Amino acid sequence: MAGPGRTGAGRAAGSVLGTKPPGAARPAEPRWATPGRLLALFCVMCLFIYMDRGLIASNGVNGTIAAGGQPGSGIQGDFSLTLFQDGLLPAAFMVGLLASSPIFAEASKHHNAFRLIGIGLAVWTAAAVGCGLAPGFVPLLLCRMAVGVGEASFVALAAPFIDDQAPAGKKALWLGVFYCCIPTGYALGYIFGGLVGAALGWRAAFLLEAAAMLPFVAFCLRAPPISLRGDGGTGDASASSGAGGRPPLAARLRGSLRAVGADTGVLLRHPVYLWAVGGMTFYTAVLGGFAFYGPKAGRDVFNVAPERADLTFGAITVLTGVLGTLAGGALLDAVGASMRNALLLCAAGIAAGSLLAIAAFWAAGSFAAFSLSFAAAELAMFVSQAPGNAVCMWSVPTQLRPFAMSMSVVAIHVLGDVPSPPLLGALQGWLQNWRLSMSIASALLLAGAAAYLVGAMVAASAVDYRELAAAADGSDPSSSGGGGGGGSNGGSRGALLAEARAAIVGEEADEEEAGGRVGRLHIVETSSRGEDDAEAGASPDRSLLPSHAQRSS
């Protein structure tokens, strides 16, 4: 039951979207927070974060096992690790990342998201120092898990900030600039780890990256915070909620688990989001297989030196990752940044990538021809990076963007690049034919393209929540950069808004057991049909979302 003063479609729409009622201005951002500065800030932090992933995989840091009378080096040599133990390091990182991403996303509904990024990066920095000082394998393993915990806040919250701040008509390009920092960061990590590890030792590499991140942590924690549309306000993340003090820990945990379950249920009722994540999962699975087994397959098929194979695959991935990601964002803005156009672009990109990769692995007669065809394949694949992630944010209620991003990260890794390398290895062990094995893996991209195509068809009649956010803010919906669900014409945007019969509202319900207040979502259906709410910025005629059961009070 909605609280007093919160009835009315206009106020309802503003509540769920984390904005003020229509016509009310959003809180003024600090003077330092210009869009360009924010993009630069997040890009630099992204470079450092993904540099860590490349750093621990570099030869200078990861090192080698002692063999043949030769001493070991790096982490493997110092701790006498088996290959299995060495493989647990990225696994531990992933456990921390995947377990913590939904937690930070849920926390952003109650606390300032910018402060949460600062807290997460503080954990990341402390954990990186711990990696550099680790006295043994188990402490190092725990520190790698903590690095994943710290990174989770950035993964869940950075992209929604950029989506909020990017100029209308350039949102996809700005997301492309941000996401191209991922392959660039990996490449910098390989280089940095190799150089520093050889000169100063592997421990120094972790300590130096932590020192480089420290000023950004201090800035995020001390600077006047910016507000993410739909977050818990502009105050400190540590502020207690409710006038009566904090409820017991067990009650807070139960409330958080219920909120995560309710938010997951909302995501599952958004088919555009689900099809987009499905396409991204196939894409990530194939890319993970390429990253792990691509150099080995190229070396064995074309009988080239391992160093040449490693260098070639690394250079191709970095170059095509940057160019393809930027091209995908720019192309989407050029054709009209609707969800339908974004998903069609994703489908075309990975379908072309599949055919070019099959041609590279199956038909190429020389390593040079293979390299050209494989570079074209990865270039086409990376075109889907920015549009796919954009749809994950645009297809769900604005307040749920961080949670949607975090759950997409969980899905693409748990179902994508975590199982794909061992499955591809098992396939190769059975077939004993790298050309055939890698061609079969490449063909999986066609399944991802099919998922994107289905999503594009569904998106033609789906709600683009950027427009509801614009209406709730009292601004022109057309300035959101969307084209309605289908993006066919400007009239479809007005029709979707004019036909909304129910508004999603945010309500704070009393929690007797917890002794506090928890935020939640529910559907409030209006009793009038065809009422003119032009002044309020909404005219409810049909439900935006399937209703879900309300918690009993």
Side-chain angles (χ1 to χ4, degrees):
M1 180 172 169
R6 299 191 65 175
T7 58
R11 288 187 296 272
S15 178
V16 70
L17 296 167
T19 60
K20 292 186 178 296
R26 296 182 65 202
E29 300 290 8
R31 293 181 60 184
W32 70 265
T34 64
R37 290 174 183 171
L38 286 170
L39 179 63
L41 175 67
F42 286 125
C43 283
V44 174
M45 291 192 294
C46 186
L47 285 173
F48 282 126
I49 283 173
Y50 282 91
M51 187 178 77
D52 173 81
R53 297 203 197 183
L55 181 148
I56 197 170
S58 66
N59 288 321
V61 172
N62 193 260
T64 58
I65 303 172
Q70 297 294 323
S73 64
I75 293 173
Q76 290 190 62
D78 281 8
F79 297 143
S80 301
L81 302 184
T82 64
L83 288 176
F84 175 77
Q85 289 174 316
D86 189 45
L88 290 178
L89 294 174
F93 166 84
M94 199 61 69
V95 169
L97 175 68
L98 300 184
S100 302
S101 291
I103 296 174
F104 277 106
E106 193 64 34
S108 71
K109 295 196 300 185
H110 311 291
H111 305 291
N112 179 261
F114 192 71
R115 288 285 190 256
L116 289 174
I117 289 179
I119 291 172
L121 293 182
V123 174
W124 185 97
T125 302
V129 172
C131 290
L133 301 177
F137 173 65
V138 173
L140 178 62
L141 197 68
L142 294 176
C143 287
R144 291 311 297 171
M145 187 178 297
V147 169
V149 172
E151 182 178 326
S153 66
F154 190 82
V155 168
L157 302 172
F161 267 119
I162 294 174
D163 187 46
D164 277 354
Q165 298 292 334
K170 293 185 178 180
K171 290 184 180 292
L173 177 59
W174 278 43
L175 288 170
V177 171
F178 173 71
Y179 282 112
C180 80
C181 294
I182 294 177
T184 306
Y186 266 109
L188 289 175
Y190 291 134
I191 297 170
F192 180 77
L195 294 176
V196 175
L200 303 175
W202 65 269
R203 295 179 183 275
F206 286 114
L207 296 176
L208 288 174
E209 74 168 5
M213 182 64 83
L214 195 57
F216 296 95
V217 174
F219 183 80
C220 291
L221 292 177
R222 301 301 301 170
I226 55 175
S227 177
L228 177 68
R229 178 181 284 154
D231 73 5
T234 58
D236 290 338
S238 59
S240 62
S241 59
R246 296 174 67 84
L249 176 61
R252 296 202 305 271
L253 290 176
R254 285 194 298 270
S256 296
L257 289 175
R258 282 194 293 267
V260 169
D263 289 348
T264 302
V266 173
L267 293 184
L268 292 176
R269 289 193 289 273
H270 284 72
V272 175
Y273 172 80
L274 297 179
W275 286 113
V277 172
M280 291 169 62
T281 300
F282 281 107
Y283 157 83
T284 306
V286 174
L287 201 61
F290 285 172
F292 198 83
Y293 281 118
K296 180 183 291 291
R299 179 196 67 190
D300 292 349
V301 170
F302 298 103
N303 194 28
V304 298
E307 295 80 7
R308 183 185 177 192
D310 289 343
L311 180 60
T312 301
F313 272 84
I316 286 174
T317 300
V318 171
L319 184 61
T320 59
V322 172
L323 295 179
T325 304
L326 289 175
L331 282 172
L332 180 57
D333 285 332
V335 300
S338 68
M339 295 192 298
R340 179 175 178 272
N341 286 346
L343 292 170
L344 288 175
L345 187 58
C346 290
I350 66 171
S354 176
L355 298 178
L356 289 166
I358 291 173
F361 285 110
W362 185 254
S366 66
F367 189 65
F370 165 83
S371 299
L372 288 174
S373 183
F374 185 71
E378 288 214 321
L379 183 67
M381 290 170 60
F382 279 116
V383 165
S384 68
Q385 179 90 325
N389 281 283
V391 171
C392 287
M393 291 186 286
W394 299 342
S395 60
V396 299
T398 307
Q399 191 182 32
L400 290 186
R401 289 177 304 167
F403 188 74
M405 293 303 293
S406 67
M407 294 308 293
S408 71
V409 169
V410 171
I412 65 176
H413 288 306
V414 171
L415 302 177
D417 57 0
V418 170
S420 65
L423 290 176
L424 181 54
L427 178 65
Q428 169 60 17
W430 178 52
L431 295 176
Q432 294 296 309
N433 185 331
W434 276 119
R435 285 188 181 271
L436 181 57
S437 298
M438 298 302 283
S439 296
I440 292 173
S442 302
L444 286 177
L445 289 171
L446 296 176
Y452 280 133
L453 282 175
V454 175
M457 290 187 289
V458 176
S461 57
V463 173
D464 187 329
Y465 283 91
R466 291 173 296 168
E467 295 164 5
L468 295 183
D473 283 343
S475 57
D476 181 4
S478 64
S479 67
S480 65
S488 56
N489 54 65
S492 63
R493 294 194 297 269
L496 285 172
L497 292 172
E499 291 176 0
R501 180 173 181 266
I504 310 166
V505 303
E507 176 185 69
E508 292 192 346
D510 290 334
E511 191 78 0
E512 289 183 13
E513 197 175 13
R517 300 169 70 86
V518 295
R520 59 186 296 269
L521 298 173
H522 74 281
I523 305 288
V524 173
E525 295 192 355
T526 59
S527 58
S528 61
R529 181 185 297 266
E531 178 182 354
D532 184 6
D533 284 329
E535 292 182 0
S539 178
D541 284 326
R542 76 177 183 188
S543 179
L544 298 178
L545 281 179
S547 59
H548 57 279
Q550 301 183 17
R551 184 176 55 219
S552 59
S553 56

